[in-house]
Amino acid sequence: MASALKKVALQLAPAGTRLSSGGAGTAGKHALAHAKMWERICLFGVLPGLVVASVITFQHEAAHHEPPPEYKEYEHMRIRKKNFPWGDGKKSFFHNPETNPLPGVGYEVEPKH
């Protein structure tokens, strides 16, 4: 069946028309060239760009890092009708003693900035 379709396609195609792209031999060389091109783009473009962006971000964040605000006891904040079911019941599951104040106590630890 495939050979019959090929014969019909050859008869219908104008003279000198190629029906394939050159075979598997040239496709392998073309794919290898593109693979090397993308490897070079990643190694010499993307990775240095990632390093530069990381350094800039780190410097920017370190330059304006501020200590947490002074703890003030407000009635409407940190209202807890019942204790948490773990530990002493006062600290949330993701409690950070430097950034999360406890009601009535404030910050447990001074920040190390």
Side-chain angles (χ1 to χ4, degrees), residues 1 6 9 11-15 22 24 28 33 43 52-53 74 85 89 109 112:
M1 179 76 176
K6 188 173 183 181
Q11 289 174 356
L12 294 176
L43 288 176
V52 168
Y74 292 113
V109 179
K112 301 181 236 177

Side-chain angles (χ1 to χ4, degrees), residues 22-42:
T26 58
K29 292 176 187 174
H30 182 73
L32 184 63
H34 272 275
K36 290 217 180 262
M37 175 190 72
W38 283 108
E39 180 183 13
R40 290 185 187 120
I41 287 173
C42 287

Side-chain angles (χ1 to χ4, degrees), residues 22-74:
T26 58
K29 292 176 187 174
H30 182 73
L32 184 63
H34 272 275
K36 290 217 180 262
M37 175 190 72
W38 283 108
E39 180 183 13
R40 290 185 187 120
I41 287 173
C42 287
L43 288 176
F44 301 116
V46 174
L47 290 179
L50 183 64
V51 169
V52 168
S54 298
V55 168
I56 290 171
T57 303
F58 179 75
Q59 289 174 347
H60 179 69
E61 287 298 319
H64 68 273
H65 193 74
E66 300 172 0
E70 178 184 338
Y71 176 73
K72 295 179 184 174
E73 186 72 33
Y74 292 113

Side-chain angles (χ1 to χ4, degrees), residues 13-33:
T17 302
R18 291 176 49 192
L19 296 178
S20 67
S21 63
T26 58
K29 292 176 187 174
H30 182 73
L32 184 63

